[in-house]
Amino acid sequence: MQSKISGRTYPFEVKPIIIVQELETWLLADEEAISKVTRTTVPRVKGNLECITNPKEKLKHILFNAKVLYTDEVAREIAKESDLSKIENRCPGFKKFRQAVIDC
């Protein structure tokens, strides 16, 4: 990524950060947020979330069990309800991403 932007100038520092395979990894970090959106109790996804091979499919499965279709709006609602501290604690990549945004 650095080579793609070498020689270019920006009015801000560019910090390439690899976050996760899919953003749904972060949505899986807060089962309480998913529970609020689905209006059902959703169990906590165990283990290292950033090692889940297909987090989008995992989230779709959880939502399917709660009788909720995965849509952009559902993802947006989960994100709105999510506790950033929970995501940060469960997803080290998010912590790096958040700090890079704060540092801008």
Side-chain angles (χ1 to χ4, degrees):
M1 284 196 277
Q2 288 286 10
S3 66
K4 296 243 184 215
I5 62 169
S6 71
R8 297 181 185 183
T9 55
Y10 298 96
F12 50 83
E13 180 184 3
V14 177
K15 283 178 152 180
I17 296 175
I18 308 300
I19 48 173
V20 290
Q21 292 182 35
E22 297 175 330
L23 294 177
E24 286 76 9
T25 300
W26 295 346
L27 299 180
L28 289 169
D30 189 349
E31 70 281 359
E32 289 179 24
I34 300 169
S35 294
K36 284 181 186 175
V37 172
T38 62
R39 295 186 174 98
T40 186
T41 302
V42 173
R44 180 181 174 100
V45 177
K46 296 183 176 142
N48 183 341
L49 298 177
E50 292 180 342
C51 289
I52 294 174
T53 305
N54 197 336
K56 184 178 283 188
E57 288 306 314
K58 178 74 173 170
L59 180 59
K60 283 182 179 181
H61 179 72
I62 289 168
L63 294 172
F64 176 81
N65 288 339
K67 297 178 176 43
V68 174
L69 285 176
Y70 181 66
T71 63
D72 290 345
E73 183 58 32
V74 169
R76 194 171 6 268
E77 289 301 315
I78 295 169
K80 284 181 191 177
E81 293 293 337
S82 291
D83 179 340
L84 298 182
S85 297
K86 282 185 181 182
I87 299 171
E88 202 171 79
N89 287 332
R90 298 204 60 206
C91 301
F94 179 77
K95 187 173 186 172
K96 291 177 190 173
F97 172 77
R98 187 178 185 193
Q99 190 58 54
V101 170
I102 291 167
D103 291 345
C104 283

